[in-house]
């Protein structure tokens, strides 16, 4: 059974504790069975060509922000 506390001893929020208790079960969090699902094939979504990489312009402005060369306004505009 999952712990209701973090390694540091803090109490987990109830929704997180519930998720951890149900991990590895026969069903997903919506009660739908995992059995019979094909998660490797046929899974489509709106962004099939998205490789997960950050937008280049945003990455550059975040790098500038990190070293103090840009402010929050620059990041939002970036």
């Amino acid at each position: 059974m999952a712990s209701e506390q973090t390694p540091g001893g803090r109490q987990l929020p109830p929704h997180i504790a519930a998720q951890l208790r149900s991990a590895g079960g026969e069903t997903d969090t919506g009660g739908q069975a995992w059995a019979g699902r094909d998660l490797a094939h046929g899974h489509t979504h709106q962004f099939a060509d998205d490789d997960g990489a950050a937008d280049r312009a945003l990455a550059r402005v975040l790098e500038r922000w990190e070293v103090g060369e840009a402010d929050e306004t620059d990041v939002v505009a970036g």
Side-chain angles (χ1 to χ4, degrees):
M1 178 180 266
S3 171
E4 298 286 324
Q5 294 184 342
T6 67
R10 290 189 354 212
Q11 190 72 20
L12 291 171
H15 68 287
I16 301 296
Q19 291 289 327
L20 291 174
R21 283 193 303 273
S22 70
E26 298 283 324
T27 63
D28 65 14
T29 57
Q32 299 297 308
W34 290 110
R37 289 192 191 180
D38 180 4
L39 301 177
H41 302 91
H43 179 75
T44 60
H45 51 79
Q46 295 179 350
F47 308 102
D49 60 344
D50 184 355
D51 65 2
D55 175 78
R56 287 184 187 148
L58 178 58
R60 283 193 300 270
V61 75
L62 287 172
E63 288 170 1
R64 291 180 41 234
W65 174 77
E66 190 172 20
V67 297
E69 296 175 358
D71 62 21
E72 293 172 0
T73 305
D74 297 317
V75 173
V76 172

